[in-house]
Amino acid sequence: MFGKNGTSKPQQKRFLSEAKGITVGTLWDDVGTATEATKEIQKLFNREQNFDTPKPERLIERVISLATEEGDIVLDSFLGSGTTVAVAHKMNRKWIGIELGQHCYTHVIPRLNVVIDGEQGGISKLVNWNGGGGFKFYELAESLLVKNERLPIYQINPSYTFEMMVEAICKLEGFKYKPVGEYHGTSSENRFIHVTNEFVNSSYIISVTKNLDKKQSLLIYCTKKQSAMILPENVEIKKIPKDLLAKCNFESEGL
Ligand SMILES: C[S@@+](CC[C@H](N)C(=O)[O-])C[C@H]1O[C@@H](n2cnc3c(N)ncnc32)[C@H](O)[C@@H]1O
């Protein structure tokens, strides 16, 4: 246990008078220290929200100014306390941040909100930051396909509503989700998609293609279909979930 509250760490103290020789300078000598980073975090958040591995804003500012120009996109796929995107924002870069844990809610979002309001810590004075801008926040949905509990097959995630499933299929197949009439989305002026849980037979196809021109085409996704159907040339049928498996990467699960 070190320090008054047991939260400090031991540090080696060296006096200038004892130093010998000259240390060669590097680009990273004046970019702040772990102590500075911890102070920045403590100013931004309360004690319970301390973060284990903070980086000083000055360090990230140096990296971003060496590697990018204003308007470039900075990606941090391990946001942590959000230093990288906070600095990128203050430096007028566009940015994309990804975080798996609760840090998004406890650190990153509150931090970006104060940055947008003109927070004056870290590199703010160095880059004349006065606030502005904004960000969009998205949460990933659960996986569309999940393993069946008893059988060695994949199935649509039971937590998905029909609309969620249709939207996900549109995304995977490269269609813009926009339900109009019998179509659920379009990938071009002349290509449409229709998704259904109904049994698809010849009469179903006739009804769903009644407004389809010859120069237009339709992709139908269904769970059950009549076998050996003769389809119009501009209609293609795919099965749920079979034809979705190829669109998802399950390699990491050893399949
Ligand atoms: C060491 S911290 C990042 C520090 C951060 N760049 C900063 O300067 O404050 C690593 C973060 O990555 C997150 N993480 C780990 N695996 C992840 C994954 N697969 N996708 C997104 N975030 C992940 C952890 O929750 C943790 O907050």
Side-chain angles (χ1 to χ4, degrees), residues 26-242:
T26 75
L27 269 176
W28 311 105
D29 287 347
D30 57 345
V31 291
T33 58
T35 312
E36 179 176 323
T38 303
K39 283 188 185 148
E40 284 175 0
I41 290 289
Q42 283 169 350
K43 266 195 194 158
L44 284 164
F45 306 112
N46 62 40
R47 213 173 168 74
E48 290 74 53
Q49 286 171 300
N50 249 343
F51 187 74
D52 279 347
T53 53
K55 318 284 178 302
E57 289 203 6
R58 280 197 288 155
L59 169 66
I60 305 297
E61 188 270 339
R62 179 66 49 87
V63 174
I64 290 178
S65 45
L66 287 173
T68 68
E69 290 175 4
E70 273 200 25
D72 280 355
I73 302 174
V74 172
L75 168 70
D76 183 358
S77 48
F78 302 94
L79 274 178
S81 63
T83 309
T84 304
V85 289
V87 170
H89 195 92
K90 291 179 186 179
M91 293 174 73
N92 297 322
R93 270 55 168 179
K94 295 174 190 155
W95 49 265
I96 299 170
I98 305 168
E99 173 56 52
L100 183 78
Q102 289 302 306
H103 292 126
C104 249
Y105 307 99
T106 55
H107 292 73
V108 185
I109 294 175
R111 181 172 190 168
L112 286 167
N113 283 335
V114 293
V115 167
I116 286 163
D117 288 345
E119 172 261 319
Q120 284 302 301
I123 60 156
S124 290
K125 294 198 170 64
L126 182 72
V127 298
N128 290 324
W129 175 249
N130 288 311
F135 63 93
K136 289 183 180 164
F137 175 69
Y138 300 96
E139 282 181 0
L140 279 181
E142 287 180 32
S143 174
L144 171 65
L145 298 177
V146 287
K147 264 189 187 158
N148 182 290
E149 280 176 8
R150 280 166 286 118
L151 303 168
I153 54 165
Y154 277 90
Q155 63 183 42
I156 296 292
N157 190 329
S159 73
Y160 269 57
T161 62
F162 178 74
E163 284 70 26
M164 285 165 76
M165 176 183 79
V166 174
E167 200 170 344
I169 292 176
C170 285
K171 186 99 194 141
L172 286 170
E173 282 288 349
F175 286 77
K176 191 170 177 356
Y177 175 67
K178 197 176 170 203
V180 179
E182 43 285 309
Y183 309 134
H184 290 114
T186 49
S187 65
S188 72
E189 221 179 297
N190 289 319
R191 179 127 175 101
F192 303 94
I193 187 169
H194 171 82
V195 184
T196 181
N197 280 330
E198 305 277 314
F199 179 70
V200 171
N201 55 15
S202 302
S203 53
Y204 190 98
I205 292 192
I206 291 169
S207 87
V208 89
T209 55
K210 62 181 186 296
N211 295 319
L212 198 70
D213 280 351
K214 284 224 166 66
K215 62 177 190 326
Q216 298 178 322
S217 65
L218 180 66
L219 169 62
I220 299 175
Y221 253 98
C222 65
T223 43
K224 304 170 272 286
K225 71 177 175 84
Q226 180 188 323
S227 57
M229 252 189 309
I230 298 172
L231 292 173
E233 262 182 17
N234 56 349
V235 175
E236 182 189 0
I237 298 195
K238 289 192 178 182
K239 288 281 295 288
I240 302 167
K242 182 171 147 278

